[in-house]
Amino acid sequence: MAAPSVAGQIDRMLLARIADWLVVAVAVSLPWSTSAVSILLVVWILTLLPTLQWPELRRELMTPAGGLPVALFALGVLGMIWADVSLAARWGGLDGFIRLLAVPFLMTQFRRSDSGNRVLLGFLIACIALLIASWLVTIWPTLPHGSTDRGVIVKSYIVQNAEFTICAAVLLALAVDWARTGRRALAAAAVAVSLAFLADIFFIATSRTTLVVIPALAVIYGARRFGRNGAAGAVLIVLIVA
């Protein structure tokens, strides 16, 4: 009985490692391709499911971060019940809500994995490449691109702004941590890349939603890290930048 048990454990470990790298692939594909992301997500969930244990997943579902996405999906389903359209159209309306169901699975997966930084790094590199492409198609509009929005090579300016906002916020947070630990070169590089993302948002392809989200993120971060003084400082910085 011991040999099959060990073999099963090894198989689960291998599948878990493959699932980690599949999420990295999803993160890299996310800024560039909707089709690739959809395919990779299906392969990821099929690979991940045999490695999960119900108590682990249930523990994440009981947390606000893991349970709220499921609650939002249920609310979306409830809203589609009385929609005066075909069943196919209702299912299409749930597309955005279905993706929320990945959140508790991701939380369960990376609670026991050390690959979280690889996912973040992969997403950041892909977004930096997208940032370069955005500036290129702005300078040379005749370059082939798959979007009708100015300064956007794929998808839309709303999606691009959301991705760039995530990167800018994370990089600025990392810059603060690195500066505190004396890694000033890394902190300076993070600030420079973050400002490049923000410059693209402000001057190349601007989403009004992003212009509301950025100040809110700054104030929340300042309050969480530095208390009232941090929140007040964030408000002041936002006003100066505005």
Side-chain angles (χ1 to χ4, degrees), residues 5 52-53 75 106 109 152 219 231:
S5 176
L52 294 179
Q53 296 182 359
L75 184 62
L106 287 168
Q109 176 179 352
V152 181
V219 174

Side-chain angles (χ1 to χ4, degrees), residues 93-220:
L94 285 173
D95 181 59
F97 291 92
I98 292 174
R99 298 175 187 177
L100 292 172
L101 296 178
V103 173
F105 289 100
L106 287 168
M107 292 178 64
T108 304
Q109 176 179 352
F110 287 99
R111 187 78 68 182
R112 63 191 186 190
S113 170
D114 59 353
S115 297
N117 288 336
R118 296 192 189 102
V119 177
L120 179 61
L121 181 61
F123 181 72
L124 178 60
I125 292 173
C127 284
I128 290 174
L130 187 65
L131 174 65
I132 295 171
S134 175
W135 284 93
L136 288 176
V137 297
T138 300
I139 298 171
W140 294 290
T142 56
L143 289 176
H145 52 282
S147 174
T148 58
D149 297 330
R150 175 180 177 270
V152 181
I153 192 168
V154 291
K155 299 187 179 181
S156 69
Y157 72 96
I158 297 175
V159 175
Q160 179 172 289
N161 270 218
E163 293 164 345
F164 286 1
T165 300
I166 292 170
C167 291
V170 171
L171 284 170
L172 287 175
L174 289 174
V176 172
D177 293 337
W178 287 335
R180 284 180 165 182
T181 57
R183 291 181 285 183
R184 300 185 184 279
L186 279 176
V191 170
V193 177
S194 179
L195 291 177
F197 280 121
L198 292 176
D200 190 283
I201 292 171
F202 294 149
F203 301 114
I204 302 300
T206 306
S207 165
R208 287 172 294 180
T209 303
T210 301
L211 295 181
V212 175
V213 169
I214 289 175
L217 286 176
V219 174
I220 291 171

Side-chain angles (χ1 to χ4, degrees), residues 10-133:
I10 292 174
D11 288 342
R12 282 194 295 271
M13 291 174 60
L14 178 60
L15 287 174
R17 182 58 62 181
I18 294 173
D20 287 352
W21 282 106
L22 283 170
V23 177
V24 174
V26 170
V28 172
S29 304
L30 193 59
W32 290 93
S33 172
T34 302
S35 300
V37 169
S38 299
I39 294 169
L40 287 168
L41 282 175
V42 172
V43 178
W44 163 70
I45 196 65
L46 292 176
T47 305
L48 179 67
L49 285 177
T51 72
L52 294 179
Q53 296 182 359
W54 169 242
E56 295 177 343
L57 182 59
R58 182 176 58 189
R59 185 164 56 248
E60 300 301 336
L61 289 172
M62 297 303 293
T63 64
L68 182 59
V70 178
L72 289 173
F73 172 75
L75 184 62
V77 172
L78 185 63
M80 290 295 123
I81 290 177
W82 58 75
D84 189 20
V85 293
S86 65
L87 184 61
R90 296 182 193 185
W91 181 257
L94 285 173
D95 181 59
F97 291 92
I98 292 174
R99 298 175 187 177
L100 292 172
L101 296 178
V103 173
F105 289 100
L106 287 168
M107 292 178 64
T108 304
Q109 176 179 352
F110 287 99
R111 187 78 68 182
R112 63 191 186 190
S113 170
D114 59 353
S115 297
N117 288 336
R118 296 192 189 102
V119 177
L120 179 61
L121 181 61
F123 181 72
L124 178 60
I125 292 173
C127 284
I128 290 174
L130 187 65
L131 174 65
I132 295 171

